[in-house]
Amino acid sequence: MISKIIYMKKAYEYDLTNPKIMEYPYDFYEAIHRDDARAVEVNGVGYWIGRMDDIKAITKNTSTFSNSYFSEGGPIPTGVSGEPLEKDVKEVFDKGPKVVNALWTTDPPKHTLHRKLVNKAFTGKWVRSMEPKIRDIANGLIDGFIFNGKTDFIKDYAVYVPMIVIAEALGMSRDDAEQFKHWSDDILSGNLDVLDHKARLRVAKSFVEANNHFEATIDERRKCPKDDLITSLAVAEVEGKSLDTSEVLPIVNTLMLAGNETTTNLIGNAMRLLFEYPEVMDAISKDYTLIPGFIDEVMRFDAPVQCLYRVVTEDTEIGGIKIEKDSSIMLGWGTAGRDPKYFKNPNIFDIYRSNSSQNVGFGFGPHICVGLGLAKAEARIAFETFFDRLKDIELDKNADLSHIPTFATRGYKRLDLKFKNNN
């Protein structure tokens, strides 16, 4: 009898920039763990690091693996290819306000000072104080489509719950939400994706427009403080010294991005999983105390941010792979969530998993997401409110379930649902 040999594709044979792999990267992630592939080169981008142990060690070693991967010119979102800036793109960036490296594009000790500042704003008390507003926003959004019997869950709900919260906190009105979203999407793309010339121009224009707006708002808040997040940043002092506007602007940009796209993808990915696991939808719709564990498992299983970057400051080696100075590495939060050393049967979605909270979907180490408490609260309240108001929720049989084409973040383009009014 001739036995059939099943070929298992090696981790280094995957091309993460291939749209098919970006759409479903989990076979690649499984190969990383199966092969113990500690550093896998992604052509034209850098090295993918997927094992939890390596990720934890790297995030703590900021001297060799730096988060300050922008030049002294500051955190300009030019894409991750490393290609020189085109003249017309540079001219657009030069028209904007000055920005310097701050918070997420710095390392300790400077990062530590900025982090203390932002932590003062994102306290548990502040998050709890925001819960009635989050619930009000969620109910208002549902009011807009509840009598239609259908909705694009992403566009009509998952986008706007976190976006309105962070937009208002940063001094923008709900009427400005579309503009805020446009800026956020473009700038995030400029920080995480490979951009061609046309995309670079688009990103540069959004970056300058956003910073012009926030510069004016910062100046206004210094003259007339309000009870909002941008005022806290505008008037804050670090070691007795006020932050310069060039430092405040990149912090505001960070909060705009982290407080928006990440949570949208979390809510969208979570809803999609409920249709794959209808027993989970049934359980959490009847018992809201299960929602926090459900959210933790989503962050492990289908993280909204699949990776973030670091730059190598000296020649080094990971798992026998030599990595030269100035190379980029990608910390694969999504891959670490499938690490079998940490999570038993990692490819199984289980909201009763005892250690789901050990996921690194919000990052790890000094740069762990400052807004994780807010993001979890927004996602929890989004689902509580949705199940309060709607019933018999179904996925449209013709729904387009493709993801936004990027390997750095993971979220759906749209999610078409049908439902009945529960009121």
Side-chain angles (χ1 to χ4, degrees):
M1 179 178 180
I2 299 175
S3 60
K4 184 177 181 180
I5 299 175
I6 300 176
Y7 176 73
M8 305 291 281
K9 194 173 181 179
K10 299 295 184 182
Y12 66 84
E13 294 179 288
Y14 285 84
D15 176 10
L16 191 54
T17 64
N18 183 318
K20 291 183 179 179
I21 306 302
M22 285 193 284
E23 177 63 31
Y24 188 82
Y26 294 113
D27 290 337
F28 169 52
Y29 295 174
E30 187 173 4
I32 285 176
H33 296 302
R34 185 174 61 242
D35 299 345
D36 194 24
R38 296 174 58 190
V40 180
E41 187 170 8
V42 179
N43 189 39
V45 183
Y47 294 85
W48 189 274
I49 313 299
R51 295 169 71 256
M52 181 77 84
D53 287 339
D54 288 329
I55 286 174
K56 287 186 173 182
I58 287 170
T59 56
K60 296 175 182 177
N61 183 3
T62 56
S63 60
T64 303
F65 304 99
S66 173
N67 218 63
S68 186
Y69 46 82
F70 288 100
S71 69
E72 291 305 311
I76 306 297
T78 61
V80 298
S81 67
E83 292 294 322
L85 270 187
E86 299 87 349
K87 181 180 178 181
D88 56 346
V89 177
K90 186 177 185 304
E91 288 175 350
V92 173
F93 278 121
D94 287 345
K95 292 177 182 177
K98 178 184 176 183
V99 294
V100 298
N101 286 313
L103 192 63
W104 75 292
T105 58
T106 60
D107 298 311
K110 187 174 183 179
H111 169 266
T112 306
L113 295 176
H114 290 168
R115 182 73 185 216
K116 286 180 180 179
L117 162 65
V118 179
N119 282 346
K120 289 179 181 179
F122 280 89
T123 62
K125 181 180 179 181
W126 180 77
V127 171
R128 289 190 293 274
S129 75
M130 293 295 293
E131 291 197 5
K133 175 174 281 191
I134 299 169
R135 203 171 298 276
D136 175 65
I137 291 169
N139 274 304
L141 293 170
I142 292 173
D143 287 342
F145 58 75
I146 191 169
F147 296 109
N148 297 336
K150 62 181 181 178
T151 185
D152 174 356
F153 182 78
I154 302 297
K155 180 177 71 70
D156 298 334
Y157 194 65
V159 163
Y160 285 101
V161 171
M163 183 171 65
I164 293 173
V165 171
I166 199 64
E168 290 186 349
L170 293 176
M172 296 185 75
S173 70
R174 296 189 186 191
D175 294 338
D176 296 324
E178 289 293 340
Q179 180 64 74
F180 187 90
K181 176 64 174 171
H182 174 73
W183 289 341
S184 179
D185 286 350
D186 281 349
I187 296 171
L188 184 70
S189 177
N191 284 320
L192 298 178
D193 297 333
V194 177
L195 305 181
D196 60 19
H197 179 220
K198 183 179 179 180
R200 271 184 163 178
L201 269 177
R202 184 188 71 246
V203 169
K205 291 175 181 176
S206 288
F207 183 72
V208 170
E209 286 177 7
N211 281 333
N212 282 337
H213 171 85
F214 288 125
E215 181 183 46
T217 306
I218 291 166
D219 291 342
E220 181 183 322
R221 292 296 189 272
R222 285 177 174 149
K223 297 172 185 175
C224 302
K226 292 186 178 181
D227 185 20
D228 60 18
L229 183 57
I230 203 164
T231 297
S232 299
L233 297 172
V235 303
E237 292 186 350
V238 177
E239 295 187 340
K241 179 185 176 185
S242 298
L243 289 177
D244 188 79
T245 299
S246 63
E247 295 176 287
V248 178
L249 283 173
I251 294 175
V252 168
N253 273 294
T254 299
L255 298 178
M256 175 173 66
L257 304 185
N260 175 13
E261 183 76 14
T262 301
T263 313
T264 290
N265 289 346
L266 167 58
I267 296 171
N269 294 357
M271 178 55 82
R272 174 67 183 96
L273 284 166
L274 291 179
F275 294 109
E276 290 189 32
Y277 301 89
E279 70 280 5
V280 175
M281 182 184 289
D282 183 63
I284 69 172
S285 64
K286 293 176 180 176
D287 183 0
Y288 291 171
T289 65
L290 296 174
I291 293 179
F294 163 64
I295 292 169
D296 281 337
E297 181 68 350
V298 174
M299 291 298 300
R300 180 198 73 82
F301 188 81
D302 202 25
V305 177
Q306 291 286 301
C307 76
L308 284 179
Y309 295 83
R310 298 292 188 272
V311 64
V312 178
T313 61
E314 60 187 14
D315 291 349
T316 189
E317 182 178 301
I318 300 176
I321 303 296
K322 293 181 179 180
I323 301 178
E324 296 181 355
K325 178 182 177 180
D326 296 329
S327 297
S328 293
I329 63 169
M330 292 153 283
L331 300 181
W333 313 128
T335 318
R338 302 294 185 104
D339 192 330
K341 180 178 177 180
Y342 281 77
F343 305 104
K344 185 178 179 181
N345 298 321
N347 296 325
I348 294 177
F349 184 73
D350 180 8
I351 68 168
Y352 302 103
R353 188 183 295 274
S354 62
N355 67 338
S356 292
S357 62
Q358 293 180 18
N359 74 81
V360 290
F362 286 106
F364 188 82
H367 287 277
I368 190 170
C369 178
V370 69
L372 69 87
L374 178 62
K376 287 184 176 183
E378 289 170 333
R380 172 176 56 80
I381 293 169
F383 281 102
E384 289 175 353
T385 310
F386 207 73
F387 290 127
D388 279 345
R389 303 286 304 278
L390 309 174
K391 64 180 180 180
D392 297 338
I393 303 164
E394 299 177 357
L395 182 66
D396 189 299
K397 64 180 181 180
N398 297 317
D400 175 8
L401 299 178
S402 60
H403 291 82
I404 299 167
T406 170
F407 59 75
T409 60
R410 185 162 174 82
Y412 290 92
K413 296 177 181 177
R414 58 184 300 126
L415 207 57
D416 293 301
L417 309 184
K418 295 182 179 179
F419 55 82
K420 293 180 180 177
N421 190 334
N422 201 29
N423 294 341

